[in-house]
């Protein structure tokens, strides 16, 4: 497992969040209000959610 992912998992576990949950939170904080369909499209579409 990648060291960065391990660190992130450890950090997020303190907040009882998974990396999947964090990805949705990050996406919404960057893009604003999105429908469930838009979220699924962005997360499953092979796009980098950190790009603006």
């Amino acid at each position: 497992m990648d060291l960065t992912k391990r660190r992130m998992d450890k950090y997020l576990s303190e907040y009882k969040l998974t990396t999947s949950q964090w990805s949705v939170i990050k996406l919404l904080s960057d893009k604003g209000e999105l429908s469930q369909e838009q979220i699924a499209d962005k997360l499953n579409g092979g796009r980098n959610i950190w790009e603006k």
Side-chain angles (χ1 to χ4, degrees):
M1 185 186 291
D2 181 61
L3 181 59
T4 302
K5 179 156 179 2
R6 256 188 245 175
R7 286 183 185 159
M8 184 168 213
D9 286 339
K10 184 176 178 181
Y11 176 78
L12 291 174
S13 70
E14 295 176 25
Y15 300 95
K16 301 197 184 318
L17 289 172
T18 65
T19 51
S20 296
Q21 291 168 323
W22 179 86
S23 295
V24 172
I25 292 168
K26 172 71 172 145
L27 177 66
L28 292 172
S29 75
D30 287 347
K31 304 292 183 183
E33 192 173 314
L34 298 171
S35 69
Q36 287 182 339
E37 182 180 3
Q38 290 169 315
I39 293 169
D41 180 53
K42 291 192 181 300
L43 293 177
N44 295 324
R47 297 182 189 102
N48 184 344
I49 66 168
W50 293 276
E51 291 178 3
K52 293 194 178 188

